[in-house]
Amino acid sequence: MADKPTSGEILGVPYNFDRPSLGRMISSYWQPGEGMLVEKPFGVGYTLNLANWRSWIVVLVAGALLWQQEQSDSGADEDRRDEPVEVIVDDQDESAN
């Protein structure tokens, strides 16, 4: 049985299943002079290049959205108190109309 390759490309998407070393991890996430997206050091696809300033904008926006969601979830819990709710039920038979 032939050995399957542990890294390569399928339909233009890179993959790499070689066990990553610490040096390879650092060099994969920090590539000055490269674009915002670089090949992942382990797995399938691309990841952010932290040497690119655009990547930091993405990280900050994602963090701000997560923080905003956490704040709105905690604020919504405070607004939900055991207050009476009015329910109107229309029990007229529609066939009678």
Side-chain angles (χ1 to χ4, degrees):
M1 188 170 181
D3 290 332
K4 293 181 181 179
T6 57
S7 64
E9 196 171 288
I10 295 178
L11 300 174
V13 179
Y15 68 91
N16 189 350
F17 294 111
D18 294 330
R19 174 173 252 165
S21 65
L22 182 60
R24 195 172 101 203
M25 292 287 286
I26 292 171
S27 66
S28 294
Y29 289 106
W30 192 267
Q31 296 183 20
E34 294 293 321
M36 184 173 93
L37 296 176
V38 293
E39 293 182 13
K40 288 178 101 176
F42 182 79
V44 178
Y46 297 94
T47 188
L48 292 174
N49 178 10
L50 298 178
N52 189 305
W53 63 271
R54 290 177 188 96
S55 298
W56 287 103
I57 291 175
V58 170
V59 169
L60 290 174
V61 168
L65 290 173
L66 182 63
W67 179 79
Q68 180 184 15
Q69 180 182 3
E70 292 294 325
Q71 295 300 314
S72 66
D73 286 348
S74 66
D77 290 341
E78 293 173 2
D79 292 342
R80 294 183 196 150
R81 306 213 174 153
D82 292 333
E83 297 177 5
V85 177
E86 181 179 351
V87 178
I88 300 173
V89 178
D90 186 14
D91 60 353
Q92 293 179 356
D93 186 13
E94 290 188 25
S95 63
N97 290 335

